[in-house]
Amino acid sequence: MSAFLRNVLEFLPILLQGAKLTVLVTLGSLLISTLLGLVWAAMRVSGIGLLAKVSAGVVNLLRGIPIIVLLFFIYFVMPDFGVSLTALQAGILGLGIAYSAYQAENFRAGIEAVDQGQVEAAQAMGMSWWLTMRRVLLPQAFRITLPSYGNIMIMMLKDSSQASTITVTELALQGRLIATSTFQNATVFSLVALLYLIMCVPLILLVRHFEKRGKK
């Protein structure tokens, strides 16, 4: 037991450094995916055929490309076109772009769930499409989509481990590096799993809270 505790005290500070990067990748990609998702969703429900088709095409394309392939393309291929990013930047951008497709479908469903009568009433009052979207549709859509938004956040936190494939030393990669050098696989990956759980549990509880509020 004493040897196990010594290993924990030795490995934990290094793994916490990886956990910080995991949180950074998750928050950065969450911001990008949210903004892009709103753009794709707004195009989809704009009522303009061309914009809706472009949005649908982009969303389907992104959903069909594995995240790891997108990360490789951004990190290894984009420099050939003069765009060089650090591994961390590429990880955040790649994960954000990939998840923007799922955010878009989530936001679109929330917007379409708002009573159409409210849209007609806003238009009857002389509101433009953008003003109706900003003041009527989006506030209600956000409330509707909060539970699923929280679930996407949890998925992004766990999928941030894929950034390790382009050398981002987040939690999963730090764990593999320590395990490779020390052969303490059970201890290291138990700590990695525990840290992921500690990060995910508050999000799970938050999602449950929003789900309960949504049922009232």
Side-chain angles (χ1 to χ4, degrees):
M1 179 62 72
S2 60
F4 173 77
L5 290 176
R6 281 199 304 271
N7 288 335
V8 169
L9 293 175
E10 179 184 355
F11 301 153
L12 193 55
I14 304 173
L15 291 175
L16 286 175
Q17 293 177 8
K20 290 179 182 178
L21 273 182
T22 293
V23 173
L24 180 59
V25 170
T26 302
L27 292 177
S29 56
L30 181 66
L31 176 61
I32 292 174
S33 68
T34 300
L35 294 176
L36 284 179
L38 282 172
V39 172
W40 308 143
M43 290 171 63
R44 191 72 178 273
V45 300
S46 65
I48 302 173
L50 178 60
L51 291 181
K53 288 179 181 179
V54 169
S55 173
V58 170
V59 167
N60 289 331
L61 177 67
L62 293 177
R63 291 170 69 181
I65 298 176
I67 294 176
I68 190 172
V69 174
L70 190 56
L71 290 174
F72 284 169
F73 185 88
I74 293 174
Y75 188 59
F76 295 114
V77 179
M78 290 304 292
D80 295 340
F81 299 95
V83 180
S84 296
L85 300 175
T86 65
L88 179 60
Q89 291 169 340
I92 291 174
L93 183 61
L95 198 63
I97 291 174
Y99 266 91
S100 70
Y102 303 100
Q103 297 278 32
E105 291 299 283
N106 182 36
F107 293 141
R108 181 175 68 88
I111 292 170
E112 291 180 346
V114 178
D115 184 7
Q116 186 64 25
Q118 297 187 39
V119 178
E120 294 173 355
Q123 292 174 343
M125 294 172 61
M127 287 189 183
S128 64
W129 178 87
W130 170 242
L131 194 60
T132 301
M133 179 70 70
R134 184 163 60 89
R135 291 188 177 179
V136 178
L137 291 174
L138 288 182
Q140 298 182 72
F142 273 125
R143 287 195 294 269
I144 294 170
T145 59
L146 273 176
S148 51
Y149 186 82
N151 286 325
I152 291 175
M153 195 186 308
I154 294 170
M155 292 167 59
M156 292 182 71
L157 176 62
K158 293 187 291 185
D159 274 348
S160 65
S161 61
Q162 297 207 42
S164 65
T165 59
I166 55 172
T167 72
V168 178
T169 51
E170 45 68 65
L171 179 56
L173 181 55
Q174 287 283 23
R176 288 202 298 272
L177 293 174
I178 296 173
T180 301
S181 60
T182 64
F183 302 103
Q184 299 293 326
N185 295 316
T187 302
V188 172
F189 289 114
S190 294
L191 285 172
V192 169
L194 180 61
L195 288 173
Y196 271 115
L197 190 61
I198 290 172
M199 290 187 287
C200 284
V201 165
L203 297 178
I204 294 171
L205 295 176
L206 187 63
V207 170
R208 186 177 300 172
H209 170 71
F210 286 135
E211 287 176 342
K212 288 181 180 179
R213 287 190 60 182
K215 293 178 181 178
K216 292 181 181 179

